[in-house]
Amino acid sequence: IYAVYERNRKLLVLFGLVYVTEIVGAIALPGTSMPRCIPGPSRLSPGCYVGPQPPLYFLTWIPALICESILCLLMLYKAWTEYKNNCDSSLLRLIIRDSVLYFLTAFAIFLINCLVWAFAPQIYIQVAIWWSVALPCSLGSRLLLNMRERIYVSETAQRVSDFTGIGSFRVVVPSGLSVESA
């Protein structure tokens, strides 16, 4: 977003404040109560399992929801302004498209986790949490690979057009020489 908004310093400060607020909120909202680890129910399933959650522990997801909403709205606003200005940059359109997809997916995952943690039975708490780890990594990689491909394709197209420009030159063979002997 910082690059799309042309390295706006005010936006950088806003990002810093939003990020710090998200971290502080994620730590402070659920309070000092943390779920306890309990031993496995039998010798057949040893290990440590998450015990019952405190009643307001689902609030951990609220700061991430707010942060992702702000970032998504900023990107949607930029998409709208570029659409109104008839933006012809395919790279900018690609960045906006993939960023909006990233933010909407992250928002959906965080919302699902928040709802599952708030209303579902304890056994379902771990169902969606792994998506909150895996999908942002995959979508971030997708954005980077798509940007790299777009830049590579445009550079290759430029090289091809530079190379085909050579075809407009004519080679003049001096009289008396044949092409085979030259």
Side-chain angles (χ1 to χ4, degrees), residues 67-132:
C67 180
E68 295 300 323
S69 298
I70 291 170
L71 297 176
C72 187
L73 288 173
L74 284 169
M75 193 56 78
L76 287 172
Y77 175 75
K78 188 64 172 180
W80 176 254
T81 57
E82 294 301 321
Y83 171 75
K84 287 184 81 164
N85 295 334
N86 295 323
C87 174
D88 61 348
S89 171
S90 62
L91 181 60
L92 182 59
R93 283 194 316 260
L94 173 105
I95 292 170
I96 290 172
R97 182 197 70 195
D98 285 355
S99 296
V100 168
L101 176 67
Y102 172 86
F103 292 128
L104 290 177
T105 304
F107 180 83
I109 292 168
F110 296 155
L111 181 63
I112 290 169
N113 276 319
C114 184
L115 294 174
V116 166
W117 284 29
F119 302 113
Q122 177 76 24
I123 196 166
Y124 296 113
I125 285 179
Q126 295 295 323
V127 169
I129 197 159
W130 299 111
W131 292 106
S132 65

Side-chain angles (χ1 to χ4, degrees), residues 65 113 138:
L65 282 168
N113 276 319
S138 299

Side-chain angles (χ1 to χ4, degrees), residues 12-47:
L12 185 62
V13 171
L14 174 69
F15 291 157
L17 291 174
V18 167
Y19 182 68
V20 168
T21 305
E22 178 187 4
I23 297 299
V24 169
I27 292 170
L29 276 177
T32 57
S33 59
M34 296 286 289
R36 292 187 344 232
C37 287
I38 56 174
S42 70
R43 295 182 92 168
L44 296 175
S45 59

